Amino acid sequence: MRLEVQNLETGYGKAQVLFGLDLVVGEGELVALLGANGAGKTTLLRTISGLIPPWRGKVLWDGEDLRRFSPARRARLGLGHVPEGRQLFPLMTVEENLRLGAAFLAPEREREGFERVFALFPRLYERKRQLAGTLSGGEQQMLAIARALMGFPKILLVDEPSLGLAPRLAEEVLLSLKRVVEEGVGVLLVEQNVALSLEVAARAYVVEHGRIVLQGLAHAVLEDPRVREAYLSL
Amino acid sequence: MELLLQTLLNGILMSGIYALVATGLALSLGVVGIVNFAHGEFLMMGAFLSYLLFAFRGMDPLLSLGLAFLAAFVVGALTYQGLIRPVLRAAELNQMLLTFGLSILLQNLALLLFGADTRVVAPPYQATTLSLGPFFLGVVPFGAFLLSLAILLMLQVFLTRSRFGLAMRAVSQNRLAPGLLGIEADKVYLLAFGLAAALAGVAGVMLSVMLYASPTVGFVFTLKSFAIVALAGLGNLKGVVPAALVLAMAEALVSTYLPGGGGLVEAVFFLVLFLALVGRAWRKA
């Protein structure tokens, strides 16, 4: 399975945000997408999952153009998306939130999904009868990721999972993504925490003003003087 | 004292139907996000269906219940597909004008087809009463109350256990996430709107025996349901039952204790709506 973005341009109203962006994510690899606020990272993820139509360019799923596919249909194909701000169902329990992640699968897969996410996040098991809105920020983020995993995605888009979390929790969440990748899922991780994401990612892209300005293996990107200066203040 | 208890008992018996109709309205409002002024017209259709089946086929209204549920579900689903869906993204005022127009259209269509007379479905047990010590229970209101309660319980199980029910609650809490989880919101809306209409349709069958079928019987229920939903809090399905109880009790008390109360009953919901809104504004301030 391979997600490919070709020469993507899009925006909101008349304001163009992405100016011809190319990117590839394969199964079983963790790819970081780095960049400052407003660089277009979230817009890219939203376009990939079909929430925003592209102006030009393509989103390809194993070579197939996804243009006519609704967000829900993309999700059923195996494209998971943990959106900005988590977007949980606050008045439903942890268990119910998770069940909704598997709503389109056969019931047997649901049990399999529960085993998988509870192994990954034991804390969610302890809290499964609690309302999602009453969880701590870190637990909510874990739930958002777990809920997307319940649908057995092949490629998972994750938007700013460390936002608003204490450093130790942010690390825990990013390390859990690494374990997801080891299970064979491809993860495209959007992060502002550059140091931490380059530690867990295999490859990285750097976006500025809607264009990819740098790409390569994570350790190479980490060594790049521009990255060190602009994002790590070294 | 006995009069008071009998009055409260009457109020309780009426609250079941109110809760049934208002729950439907709360579903279309909370899940689909549409203010449906034509909700009561689904009830009116259920009442006329029950009347037609009784008058021409001699069918017992108890049997009409299931048919009315299915028929109203189909009508609701078609209404969603044909009328509501195209305006989902339109301005709220446009949506309200559409459902208000639909309400007027359906009322006048019924007037054209059936005339303005009230039609009562009178099965043999219609006037039977049970006496409970000093109190009297009409068999029909009591049966309608129990049925309403049973239907609401089944709805509760559906909303908490089944995937479709979970999806309905999910859509009402977050509009973005269901799509990303592979749930087509459009299908959930269709089901919710059909279900809302079906609840009203069933209530219509009960009312055709307890009250009557007439072209305008539904509209007052739309208004009362709005009062109940406002009292419960928008989107709060569990609050609908107690809110319906409050309205029904208030109406019963007014009709028993106020001189000329019978005429004022239909104004009580205004008072309830007024107090609910003022109370809400006050608590926020």
Side-chain angles (χ1 to χ4, degrees):
Chain A
M1 193 51 58
R2 189 177 140 97
L3 174 73
E4 195 173 349
V5 170
Q6 281 180 358
N7 193 28
L8 199 67
E9 289 182 36
T10 192
Y12 303 91
K14 282 183 179 165
Q16 188 162 1
V17 179
L18 300 182
F19 296 86
L21 208 142
D22 296 274
L23 162 155
V24 178
V25 184
E27 251 175 299
E29 68 169 342
L30 208 171
V31 179
L33 186 65
L34 311 172
N37 248 338
K41 302 174 307 247
T42 296
T43 304
L44 174 64
L45 294 198
R46 292 170 66 90
T47 314
I48 292 175
S49 49
L51 296 170
I52 306 173
W55 292 0
R56 235 167 260 120
K58 287 176 188 163
V59 177
L60 300 173
W61 185 258
D62 254 353
E64 186 183 4
D65 193 344
L66 292 183
R67 179 173 299 267
R68 305 222 161 272
F69 288 43
S70 71
R73 193 158 160 217
R74 295 179 199 211
R76 293 198 295 270
L77 275 181
L79 177 64
H81 186 165
V82 182
E84 192 181 24
R86 295 152 200 162
Q87 312 292 342
L88 298 172
F89 307 114
L91 302 176
M92 299 174 91
T93 64
V94 168
E95 197 175 5
E96 286 173 328
N97 269 274
L98 291 173
R99 278 190 71 192
L100 282 159
F104 64 90
L105 294 172
E108 311 88 67
R109 294 282 277 172
E110 185 180 298
R111 200 160 355 103
E112 206 181 315
F114 272 121
E115 279 167 22
R116 179 189 190 192
V117 300
F118 287 149
L120 195 60
F121 302 111
R123 213 165 333 164
L124 291 181
Y125 180 75
E126 292 161 25
R127 305 223 183 274
K128 69 178 177 174
R129 305 234 179 274
Q130 204 169 316
L131 293 186
T134 66
L135 298 178
S136 72
E139 289 161 352
Q140 288 195 6
Q141 191 59 58
M142 291 175 195
L143 178 56
I145 294 171
R147 186 179 64 175
L149 287 174
M150 287 295 288
F152 290 91
K154 299 186 179 87
I155 304 281
L156 184 64
L157 316 175
V158 187
D159 201 344
E160 299 266 9
S162 75
L163 197 71
L165 300 188
R168 198 181 51 80
L169 267 175
E171 198 177 337
E172 194 180 330
V173 167
L174 289 195
L175 287 176
S176 72
L177 284 179
K178 204 169 174 182
R179 276 190 288 154
V180 169
V181 170
E182 281 157 13
E183 289 173 18
V185 180
V187 172
L188 179 59
L189 170 68
V190 161
E191 261 294 339
Q192 293 200 31
N193 188 335
V194 172
L196 198 53
S197 14
L198 286 178
E199 222 171 275
V200 292
R203 288 191 301 123
Y205 295 89
V206 180
V207 199
E208 263 171 33
H209 307 298
R211 292 182 179 88
I212 303 281
V213 292
L214 181 68
Q215 57 178 299
L217 295 173
H219 62 83
V221 171
L222 190 58
E223 296 301 315
D224 192 279
R226 285 173 291 171
V227 170
R228 294 176 77 83
E229 189 183 342
Y231 300 104
L232 300 168
S233 5
L234 293 174
Chain B
M1 190 60 196
E2 269 173 27
L3 183 63
L4 177 66
L5 289 177
Q6 179 70 52
T7 302
L8 293 180
L9 191 64
N10 292 346
I12 292 174
L13 289 188
M14 197 59 205
S15 68
I17 290 197
Y18 282 3
L20 206 56
V21 184
T23 299
L25 191 76
L27 271 182
S28 44
L29 197 61
V31 177
V32 191
I34 215 93
V35 177
N36 183 15
F37 282 109
H39 188 62
E41 273 55 56
F42 295 132
L43 179 152
M44 180 262 287
M45 286 193 240
F48 271 115
L49 182 68
S50 158
Y51 168 73
L52 291 177
L53 289 172
F54 181 76
F56 295 104
R57 289 270 174 276
M59 195 186 270
D60 190 291
L62 268 176
L63 298 175
S64 313
L65 280 171
L67 264 177
F69 185 91
L70 290 178
F73 184 91
V74 170
V75 171
L78 289 175
T79 306
Y80 171 78
Q81 200 67 18
L83 297 176
I84 306 295
R85 200 171 161 222
V87 299
L88 272 185
R89 285 162 196 272
E92 264 175 22
L93 183 64
N94 297 17
Q95 300 174 342
M96 284 195 251
L97 284 174
L98 175 81
T99 59
F100 196 66
L102 179 65
S103 160
I104 295 173
L105 177 76
L106 292 174
Q107 281 181 40
N108 285 284
L109 217 57
L111 199 61
L112 203 67
L113 288 172
F114 304 108
D117 299 340
T118 58
R119 322 268 180 156
V120 182
V121 175
Y125 50 80
Q126 193 206 18
T128 317
T129 51
L130 303 167
S131 52
L132 214 83
F135 306 115
F136 292 100
L137 272 177
V139 163
V140 172
F142 186 52
F145 174 75
L146 290 182
L147 263 171
S148 304
L149 228 55
I151 292 171
L152 289 173
L153 272 175
M154 282 192 278
L155 182 71
Q156 176 66 20
V157 171
F158 171 75
L159 288 175
T160 50
R161 298 264 178 271
S162 79
R163 285 177 169 188
F164 269 116
L166 284 180
M168 275 190 207
R169 285 162 60 214
V171 169
S172 73
Q173 288 173 36
N174 189 313
R175 305 257 162 206
L176 176 71
L180 297 180
L181 299 174
I183 298 166
E184 298 284 0
D186 195 47
K187 281 184 191 152
V188 179
Y189 292 164
L190 180 78
L191 187 71
F193 206 81
L195 196 58
L199 293 175
V202 169
V205 175
M206 297 179 191
L207 280 171
S208 70
V209 187
M210 283 170 71
L211 199 61
Y212 49 76
S214 86
T216 52
V217 69
F219 196 66
V220 69
F221 276 88
T222 306
L223 297 179
K224 287 182 183 182
S225 298
F226 272 115
I228 291 169
V229 170
L231 187 61
L234 293 189
N236 179 1
L237 274 181
K238 278 187 191 145
V240 166
V241 174
L245 197 62
V246 168
L247 177 65
M249 299 270 229
E251 283 187 354
L253 288 171
V254 166
S255 99
T256 309
Y257 288 103
L258 239 59
L264 288 172
V265 163
E266 300 302 313
V268 170
F269 73 86
F270 277 120
L271 186 69
V272 169
L273 183 58
F274 177 76
L275 291 178
L277 293 177
V278 170
R280 245 161 230 293
W282 219 45
R283 223 176 16 188
K284 260 188 203 151

